[in-house]
Amino acid sequence: MKLNKQDILKALETISAPGEGKNMVESGAVKNVVTFADEVIVDITINNPSLQAKKKTEVEIMKTIHDLVYEKAKITVNVKVDAPTKPAPNVIKGKQIPGIQNIIAVASGKGGVGKSTVTANLAVTLSKMGFKVGVLDADIYGPSVPMMFQVENEKPLAVNIEGKSKMKPVENYGVKILSIGFFTQPNQAVVWRGPMAAKALNQMIFDAHWGELDFMLIDLPPGTGDIHLSIMQSLPITGAVVVSTPQNVALADAKKGVAMFQQESINVPVLGIIENMAYFTPEELPENKYYIFGREGAKHLAEDLNVPFLGDIPLVQSIREAGDVGRPAALQTATPLEEAFETLTQQVVQEVVKRNTNLPPTEAIKITTMAGCSAVKK
Ligand SMILES: Nc1ncnc2c1ncn2[C@@H]1O[C@H](COP(=O)(O)OP(=O)(O)OP(=O)(O)O)[C@@H](O)[C@H]1O
Ligand SMILES: [Mg+2]
């Protein structure tokens, strides 16, 4: 079979270009097509620098040529990323945060699925791995990080840094913590609007003396509302992780959570989905697994949405107890839970590294290789 360029171009005209109402050929994305015998090479340029977008384009081109031109064609697709010259919208504010390398938002959609628990355990595990870590509790409805770190009775002190008064985060288990809970009265219901919450959070980031951090984790309130929009738009978030249980109601909300980050005005890369309460294991029968909320729902959701699946955490009584006494479960050494949180944390770090390698670099993001990670270890 001898392929020809015209047939290939005609086939590529059936693929639409993202967001332009034009096809891939009209939009100028197809830079070159070379054919010889049953082989074809397509050079293409896309704007979306994510690995997923690259892969998707490649697969779409191959499938189209196989379906419409010749099913046995040997196809090479060279995808070049023409990264936008404008900075990515998630760093538009121009406010780089000196000393803070990566900001990771932990979100869910549905409440009570374990965002704060996951945040606390990720934080202590990162710290054990040698990273410098901060947690910003942005849950204006029910800040629970102070309790999970047993610092609910502490208050951040003011320190003088180069003539300016700054808030000094409270510290425990090697993790620096600021929470909206430090500034509200216990049992006081506070009504916040998005911009107000974003302003308070901005202060906790920009008017605080965090020092050098490899990772700042932001524990978000549940939902996908106005407050989230304000927060996302005003902070240079490196990426988001979405926590869900395997249950359908939680998954539906997690889906909205992912969609929120991916919408154009927010455009925060989704690092992946974590399945919490994946199954119940009684402490005395660790081999027994009961899938009480359904099985692998969050994993399947990640596959459907084409975002990474970061791992699962079982529903274990000691996780809840550890949270309540203010000593995250991952601190207990040589336990299956410590291992589970380590595996999960490594996945998160790996996705951050990938994100920093594949997306346009920003000053807020410095780690670009795993080797780079060890370079910043204490
Ligand atoms: N894997 C787990 N095993 C056992 N208990 C868990 C697990 N994950 C979370 N919990 C418990 O479930 C409850 C809710 O968890 P958590 O507060 O972390 O959820 P959240 O998503 O932050 O909630 P909110 O939406 O209210 O902020 C807590 O009591 C916590 O200890
Ligand atoms: Mg919470």
Side-chain angles (χ1 to χ4, degrees):
M1 168 84 183
K2 193 172 179 319
L3 296 172
N4 78 67
K5 186 174 169 174
Q6 285 320 313
D7 291 345
I8 302 290
L9 283 173
K10 235 170 144 182
L12 295 179
E13 278 170 6
T14 65
I15 304 178
S16 54
E20 298 185 18
K22 290 180 179 175
N23 70 51
M24 190 176 255
V25 178
E26 281 170 337
S27 76
V30 178
K31 296 297 175 205
N32 200 13
V33 172
V34 180
T35 55
F36 40 92
D38 60 351
E39 285 187 43
V40 51
I41 300 174
V42 180
D43 291 336
I44 178 137
T45 302
I46 60 171
N47 293 326
N48 185 338
S50 76
L51 263 192
Q52 282 157 17
K54 270 182 164 174
K55 193 78 215 154
K56 189 166 163 252
T57 309
E58 202 179 315
V59 169
E60 211 169 2
I61 290 174
M62 289 192 172
K63 186 171 182 312
T64 305
I65 295 174
H66 283 146
D67 287 355
L68 300 183
V69 186
Y70 178 46
E71 61 179 0
K72 289 187 186 144
K74 293 184 194 136
I75 308 165
T76 308
V77 182
N78 298 316
V79 185
K80 191 169 160 267
V81 175
D82 191 6
T85 44
K86 280 187 293 182
N90 57 331
V91 291
I92 36 174
K93 303 299 166 205
K95 269 191 190 172
Q96 297 308 331
I97 306 178
I100 301 181
Q101 309 293 352
N102 295 283
I103 303 184
I104 298 174
V106 182
S108 61
K110 192 176 175 323
V113 295
K115 286 174 298 301
S116 305
T117 304
V118 166
T119 306
N121 283 289
L122 281 177
V124 296
T125 307
L126 283 166
S127 170
K128 282 201 292 185
M129 288 162 78
F131 293 108
K132 299 190 180 107
V133 190
V135 170
L136 178 63
D137 180 3
D139 192 341
I140 51 180
Y141 306 117
S144 46
V145 173
M147 198 182 109
M148 290 190 175
F149 280 84
Q150 218 186 10
V151 292
E152 66 268 45
N153 295 323
E154 299 193 27
K155 289 264 174 277
L157 301 173
V159 282
N160 198 308
I161 305 291
E162 291 161 6
K164 282 194 188 136
S165 176
K166 300 244 174 187
M167 242 183 290
K168 187 169 180 285
V170 167
E171 197 169 331
N172 201 5
Y173 313 126
V175 177
K176 294 180 178 169
I177 302 152
L178 277 182
S179 168
I180 221 139
F182 292 140
F183 309 101
T184 53
Q185 299 299 321
N187 310 322
Q188 179 194 15
V190 188
V191 183
W192 295 81
R193 293 186 185 281
M196 260 167 71
K199 194 167 168 230
L201 290 173
N202 266 283
Q203 281 178 353
M204 286 200 286
I205 292 190
F206 296 104
D207 298 339
H209 181 59
W210 289 96
E212 298 279 319
L213 291 184
D214 297 310
F215 293 96
M216 170 182 276
L217 307 182
I218 303 189
D219 183 15
L220 287 174
T224 50
D226 175 33
I227 283 163
H228 296 77
L229 292 181
S230 297
I231 295 171
M232 295 305 139
Q233 287 170 336
S234 61
L235 298 175
I237 310 275
T238 309
V241 303
V242 175
V243 180
S244 182
T245 63
Q247 208 181 352
N248 282 342
V249 280
L251 294 168
D253 287 357
K255 202 168 174 177
K256 285 188 214 152
V258 170
M260 169 182 77
F261 291 116
Q262 291 177 336
Q263 75 188 52
E264 220 171 306
S265 62
I266 293 189
N267 200 17
V268 168
V270 175
L271 301 170
I273 296 182
I274 295 173
E275 181 157 313
N276 188 32
M277 311 191 193
Y279 49 86
F280 166 68
T281 299
E283 224 91 28
E284 62 283 7
L285 291 169
E287 300 306 314
N288 290 23
K289 294 180 176 179
Y290 303 92
Y291 295 89
I292 50 183
F293 292 127
R295 191 162 181 171
E296 297 186 343
K299 189 172 183 195
H300 293 144
L301 179 67
E303 283 160 12
D304 285 353
L305 298 178
N306 204 13
V307 300
F309 179 64
L310 298 168
D312 57 22
I313 298 296
L315 174 67
V316 189
Q317 190 169 332
S318 61
I319 295 186
R320 199 270 306 149
E321 286 169 352
D324 285 353
V325 299
R327 197 182 149 77
L331 285 171
Q332 296 161 24
T333 50
T335 60
L337 279 181
E338 182 192 34
E339 207 176 299
F341 281 115
E342 256 170 31
T343 310
L344 178 70
T345 308
Q346 274 161 6
Q347 280 302 314
V348 173
V349 172
Q350 241 166 45
E351 288 306 322
V352 172
V353 169
K354 265 195 219 161
R355 178 259 182 260
N356 291 348
T357 311
N358 294 323
L359 293 183
T362 69
E363 279 189 29
I365 297 148
K366 294 276 169 53
I367 296 176
T368 50
T369 62
M370 279 305 258
C373 288
S374 60
V376 293
K377 284 187 176 187
K378 279 178 201 159

